[in-house]
Amino acid sequence: MTSSYSARSRAIEPFHVMALLARANQLQAQGHDVIHLEIGEPDFTTAAPIIAAGQAALAAGHTRYTAARGLPELREAIAGFYAQRYKLAIDPERIMITPGGSGALLLTSGLLVDPGKHWLLADPGYPCNRHFLRLIEGAAQLVPVGPQTRYQLTPELVQRHWDRDSVGALVASPANPTGTVLSRDELAALAASIKARGGHLVVDEIYHGLTYGMDAASALEVDDSAFVLNSFSKYFGMTGWRLGWLVAPPEAVPELEKLAQNLYISAPTMAQHAALACFEPQTLEILEARRAEFGRRRDFLLPALRELGFGIAVEPEGAFYLYADISAFGGDAYRFCQHFLETEHVAFTPGLDFGRHLAGHHVRFAYTQQVPRLEQAVERIARGLQSWAG
């Protein structure tokens, strides 16, 4: 009986999209052509130089644990990447290599949040953020955000929602599911507001590199004491390799290392060796070409959905998502997603997976398909709208 399991386990909600994904896979198995716009994963395989580096590492016998902080040469390579891309001098000793961005989030929440304390989080936002906080007996204070603030926290919202149990705020730039980016000035203002209250700023920069027509500023440019999470999954296309990193203030590193030793010993060794190839010029050339392709997809899908009547008030500047208001069509988002999956075999994600604020009126499209497939999807959605009863 589930009632005998822990309260923390029962409090963590499942991804609603997983039921839709299971049904999509079932329809595919039955021979239907399903267009997947629900998965937050690049459709490209890992770039060839990275795969080759991973294979070479295996052939060389690099299969043992690394230090909890990760390979020194990988931490140095990441520090070099910050110097090249952001003109920042980051000491490699401040960098922790983690099992995915999730490992970085677990370390940071475990370090900064005591039971009963909380971070401010934008609603809508990535659901695992609040679930990790619940897991460590902390909490997420969800702050409703909308187009007026480009779905991001602001100093005014921090002032309004901060209370005696607040210990920090977690923001994402670019954000999932909205794709919006915080400017350098906005990051600086948020950092100052949180620091004035004795809190910590934690920034999810997992979609850095996937921005269009601009480059995202790092929080480390304006707040050297911020905790910054990043990942090799999105821009670097290494989702299944499970590798990320965390940049932390120097004084936090010994405590983080202790947590890492106990929670997971070290990040996957083969993945760390493979990731060394991420920063080679030939790899970056491949990744930049993929970034341009994502930009083309956004530039097709955004106006196409708007023309059909979807409300996308803020143009996303990064990631590979469109967060769309379906109020013009009536009904609730989950039934809306079910309708298009069953009738037109197009899968996308209900807003319920991203929070509570107007979640039943929103859906997320991931443009992780080539433009011809997106064109097919738009045709099917246009047809499906004719049969949608609301």
Side-chain angles (χ1 to χ4, degrees):
M1 292 178 62
T2 57
S3 60
S4 66
Y5 300 151
S6 69
R8 77 176 65 84
S9 176
R10 287 183 278 118
I12 292 175
E13 304 163 30
F15 284 116
H16 294 87
V17 74
M18 296 313 291
L20 293 168
L21 177 60
R23 177 57 179 157
N25 290 336
Q26 185 181 50
L27 288 167
Q28 257 183 215
Q30 293 170 359
H32 296 287
D33 175 34
V34 177
I35 301 177
H36 291 276
L37 305 181
E38 81 277 38
I39 302 302
E41 179 175 34
D43 53 316
F44 302 105
T45 57
T46 300
I50 302 171
I51 293 175
Q55 291 169 331
L58 287 170
H62 294 308
T63 59
R64 302 176 69 85
Y65 297 132
T66 70
R69 283 196 228 179
L71 286 174
E73 54 265 49
L74 181 56
R75 293 189 284 111
E76 289 167 7
I78 292 170
F81 187 65
Y82 276 101
Q84 173 199 356
R85 186 150 293 195
Y86 304 100
K87 311 304 180 194
L88 288 171
I90 302 295
D91 186 345
E93 294 300 308
R94 296 176 54 189
I95 298 170
M96 299 282 301
I97 309 299
T98 60
S102 298
L105 178 60
L106 180 59
L107 286 184
T108 309
S109 54
L111 178 75
L112 299 180
V113 185
D114 277 321
K117 301 299 182 180
H118 58 241
W119 285 341
L120 304 185
L121 273 65
D123 179 2
Y126 180 57
C128 291
N129 294 337
R130 65 180 187 269
H131 294 160
F132 268 115
L133 291 169
R134 178 63 186 88
L135 188 67
I136 62 163
E137 303 297 339
Q141 184 168 349
L142 299 181
V143 178
V145 293
Q148 301 82 1
T149 66
R150 295 169 46 258
Y151 298 98
Q152 294 282 0
L153 294 184
T154 65
E156 293 74 25
L157 289 171
V158 169
Q159 180 178 5
R160 191 182 315 161
H161 292 274
W162 194 274
D163 63 30
R164 59 185 295 178
D165 292 321
S166 302
V167 294
L170 169 61
V171 297
S173 176
N176 177 9
T178 61
T180 61
V181 174
L182 287 162
S183 70
R184 193 177 191 277
D185 288 346
E186 288 169 332
L187 284 165
L190 265 177
S193 175
I194 292 162
K195 192 172 292 186
R197 291 166 172 80
H200 297 280
L201 175 62
V202 183
V203 185
D204 169 352
E205 297 185 355
I206 285 170
Y207 290 94
H208 266 227
L210 292 177
T211 52
Y212 314 110
M214 50 92 75
D215 288 320
S218 174
L220 295 167
E221 296 176 39
V222 298
D223 182 6
D224 197 51
S225 65
F227 289 77
V228 170
L229 323 175
N230 212 318
S231 172
F232 288 93
S233 290
K234 310 302 182 181
Y235 175 66
F236 296 102
M238 295 179 67
T239 50
W241 300 76
R242 305 313 304 132
L243 199 66
W245 75 82
L246 167 65
V247 182
E251 64 275 11
V253 171
E255 290 297 307
L256 291 166
E257 185 173 20
K258 179 179 65 178
L259 288 173
Q261 290 166 345
N262 282 273
L263 290 171
Y264 54 78
I265 301 178
S266 64
T269 300
M270 295 75 72
Q272 293 189 60
H273 282 277
L276 288 168
C278 287
F279 308 105
E280 295 174 357
Q282 61 173 330
T283 308
L284 291 171
E285 185 177 343
I286 295 168
L287 301 180
E288 285 300 303
R290 293 177 175 185
R291 185 222 292 239
E293 169 61 18
F294 277 124
R296 285 189 287 271
R297 296 174 184 185
R298 182 201 64 165
D299 292 344
F300 164 74
L301 191 58
L302 175 62
L305 290 177
R306 281 174 167 168
E307 189 173 339
L308 291 178
F310 289 86
I312 307 172
V314 179
E315 179 174 306
E317 300 143 312
F320 35 67
Y321 307 117
L322 297 174
Y323 194 61
D325 188 340
I326 61 166
S327 298
F329 310 122
D332 69 80
Y334 193 83
R335 283 200 309 110
F336 192 77
C337 290
Q338 283 181 312
H339 169 76
F340 284 91
L341 179 58
E342 296 294 339
T343 64
E344 301 298 335
H345 304 140
V346 180
F348 44 91
T349 307
L352 297 170
D353 272 342
F354 305 106
R356 303 187 181 96
H357 181 55
L358 301 178
H361 301 288
H362 287 80
V363 296
R364 188 195 73 176
F365 297 91
Y367 43 93
T368 50
Q369 297 284 337
Q370 295 181 358
V371 170
R373 287 294 272 172
L374 295 177
E375 290 172 343
Q376 285 182 304
V378 169
E379 291 172 4
R380 295 186 192 185
I381 292 168
R383 187 172 61 220
L385 286 170
Q386 303 305 311
S387 59
W388 166 246

